[in-house]
Amino acid sequence: MTAFLIVLALVALVVIVTLVKSVRVVQQQTVGIVERFGKFKTGLQPGLNLLTPFVDKVRYTIDMREQVVAFPPQGVITEDNLMVSIDSVIYFQVNDPVRATYEISNYIQAIEQLTMTTLRNIIGGMDLEQTLTSREEINEKLRYVLDEATGKWGIRVNRVELRSIDPPPSIQDSMEKQMRADRDKRAAILTAEGMRQSAVLSAEGQKQSAILTAEGDKQSRILRAEAERQARILKAQGEAQAITTVFNAIHAGKPDQGLLAYQYLQMLPSIAQGDANKLWIVPSEIGDALKGLGSAVGQVAGIAKQAEGDWHAPELSNGEVPELDSAAAPAAVAEADNAVREAIAAAESAAVSTRSQAAPTMPAVPPPAPSQQPPAPAQEPPAQEPPQR
């Protein structure tokens, strides 16, 4: 009984082991490599799969998803003999699990070594400046070389990224100084450009201001010249009209030697009041001298003793012509005589006041002796009759 139970237990154990060996469950995006007596038999697809127990064996399980592998930093020498440290990241995917299993023993290690050698080859043809500024170019070249090399392994390299490129500390310090100097240079250039633009704009503004000022001064001078010209023209026309009017009025009034004598006597007080006249002597015989003044003036060339001619009196502002009253001639003559007497008196008073002011500074002039008096005129001119108007 006991032996029977032991045999039964052994048979049950064999059956269970056989069932376990013949049934295999494969996960999604995973492929199992089955070998029969050490030789590739088939690949197990995701799901439930049946195997021949004790004959078939699942040797490898390959992950078909895209994988990411980060490689440690590697030292690479650039073309200008500088050591830089570069770490990279590889994105790859297994396309053929059979070839990835049997073509290479460890494809991850193979990709790492291939990446290192390819980086040395690519970076060795670039200087440090190109290495730091040509990451996209390096990534593309590296991906192309790796994809071509891993294609026969059933692996496709999708993307290669250089995570960091670290030059030596001394080079980093020099690069920082260079960058700082370059930025200072650009700042100085921008400052100079700003100052230049400001100076140019200021000069342009001053130029425009000077031009506008000159234009305004020019226009102002032109307008003032035009106004002055018009004023001079109008003044000359007014003077011409005034001279013509006075000339016509004088000739229309038929002036004679009495009028000229009257005008001369009116000027005597003005002559005596001059600032430069320190001494003014009026002889006591000025009355007798004035008697012949009319006759002396009448002898001036061009002045007739009695005005003659057909002269028209000047028109007034309202267009009327003043009438000459012949009956008023005697009254006018009497008025002229009175004006002559007043002018003589004014001249004498002006002479006396001038002598009194000049007495402290100048010696008095003694009156001339009777023997030094100028001789009287031999013949006194006849008295002139009043002008006929």
Side-chain angles (χ1 to χ4, degrees):
M1 186 67 181
T2 303
F4 177 75
L5 291 176
I6 292 173
V7 172
L8 183 61
L10 291 175
V11 171
L13 181 60
V14 170
V15 171
I16 292 172
V17 171
T18 302
L19 290 175
V20 171
K21 292 288 186 181
S22 61
V23 177
R24 177 60 63 91
V25 177
V26 180
Q27 299 295 328
Q28 183 68 31
Q29 291 294 327
T30 305
V31 176
I33 302 301
V34 179
E35 293 181 353
R36 179 174 291 182
F37 302 114
K39 183 180 179 180
F40 173 72
K41 176 66 172 62
T42 185
L44 299 181
Q45 300 299 323
L48 182 62
N49 295 275
L50 297 177
L51 300 176
T52 302
F54 305 106
V55 177
D56 296 337
K57 181 181 180 182
V58 178
R59 183 67 179 270
Y60 300 102
T61 300
I62 305 300
D63 192 352
M64 302 297 293
R65 295 174 297 177
E66 185 174 5
Q67 301 180 43
V68 181
V69 179
F71 300 130
Q74 301 293 330
V76 182
I77 299 176
T78 61
E79 186 180 10
D80 48 358
N81 297 323
L82 291 176
M83 179 68 72
V84 294
S85 178
I86 300 177
D87 59 338
S88 58
V89 179
I90 306 298
Y91 297 83
F92 69 92
Q93 185 177 9
V94 177
N95 294 330
D96 190 348
V98 177
R99 296 172 63 183
T101 302
Y102 296 103
E103 293 292 336
I104 189 169
S105 62
N106 190 342
Y107 56 83
I108 294 179
Q109 186 179 2
I111 292 174
E112 180 181 0
Q113 296 299 323
L114 184 61
T115 302
M116 292 173 57
T117 56
T118 306
L119 272 176
R120 289 191 179 97
N121 186 24
I122 296 173
I123 300 300
M126 296 181 177
D127 57 10
L128 180 60
E129 190 70 22
Q130 292 178 343
T131 302
L132 295 175
T133 58
S134 304
R135 290 198 177 193
E136 290 296 331
E137 183 181 354
I138 296 173
N139 294 337
E140 188 61 27
K141 288 181 179 180
L142 186 59
R143 189 201 66 79
Y144 176 77
V145 173
L146 292 177
D147 188 53
E148 184 179 4
T150 59
K152 62 180 180 179
W153 302 338
I155 298 173
R156 180 168 62 89
V157 178
N158 297 326
R159 189 175 181 84
V160 178
E161 290 290 342
L162 301 181
R163 291 194 302 181
S164 64
I165 302 176
D166 299 328
S170 60
I171 301 300
Q172 291 184 8
D173 186 46
S174 299
M175 292 173 61
E176 290 178 358
K177 290 181 180 179
Q178 181 181 1
M179 182 179 299
R180 190 179 302 110
D182 183 65
R183 292 186 179 275
D184 292 341
K185 173 185 175 182
R186 285 186 290 178
I189 291 174
L190 292 177
T191 302
E193 287 288 337
M195 295 176 64
R196 185 176 69 87
Q197 292 292 335
S198 176
V200 168
L201 293 178
S202 299
E204 288 289 338
Q206 294 178 1
K207 174 184 175 183
Q208 294 295 331
S209 177
I211 291 174
L212 293 177
T213 302
E215 288 290 338
D217 190 21
K218 173 185 175 183
Q219 294 294 332
S220 176
R221 290 185 178 182
I222 290 174
L223 293 177
R224 284 198 297 268
E226 289 288 339
E228 186 177 358
R229 183 175 69 88
Q230 293 292 335
R232 289 185 178 182
I233 290 174
L234 294 177
K235 183 177 179 181
Q237 292 177 353
E239 291 179 353
Q241 292 180 0
I243 291 171
T244 303
T245 303
V246 172
F247 186 78
N248 292 335
I250 291 174
H251 288 80
K254 298 180 180 180
D256 54 8
Q257 58 184 0
L259 179 60
L260 296 179
Y262 172 69
Q263 293 292 333
Y264 177 76
L265 292 174
Q266 281 186 332
M267 292 302 296
L268 289 178
S270 299
I271 295 174
Q273 293 178 1
D275 295 335
N277 297 330
K278 302 301 182 180
L279 183 61
W280 181 260
I281 300 174
V282 179
S284 59
E285 291 83 1
I286 188 172
D288 298 334
L290 290 177
K291 293 180 181 180
L293 182 61
S295 61
V297 174
Q299 302 299 324
V300 177
I303 303 299
K305 293 183 178 181
Q306 185 174 1
E308 297 179 358
D310 187 9
W311 302 100
H312 298 284
E315 297 183 357
L316 300 179
S317 59
N318 54 4
E320 298 179 355
V321 178
E323 295 181 356
L324 298 176
D325 190 4
S326 58
V333 173
E335 184 178 356
D337 294 339
N338 294 331
V340 170
R341 295 189 186 92
E342 293 177 358
I344 294 172
E348 292 178 351
S349 62
V352 171
S353 61
T354 303
R355 286 199 305 269
S356 62
Q357 292 177 0
T361 58
M362 297 184 62
V365 178
S371 61
Q372 295 179 358
Q373 293 294 332
Q379 185 178 359
E380 185 176 354
Q384 299 292 331
E385 297 180 358
Q388 301 296 328
R389 299 184 183 272

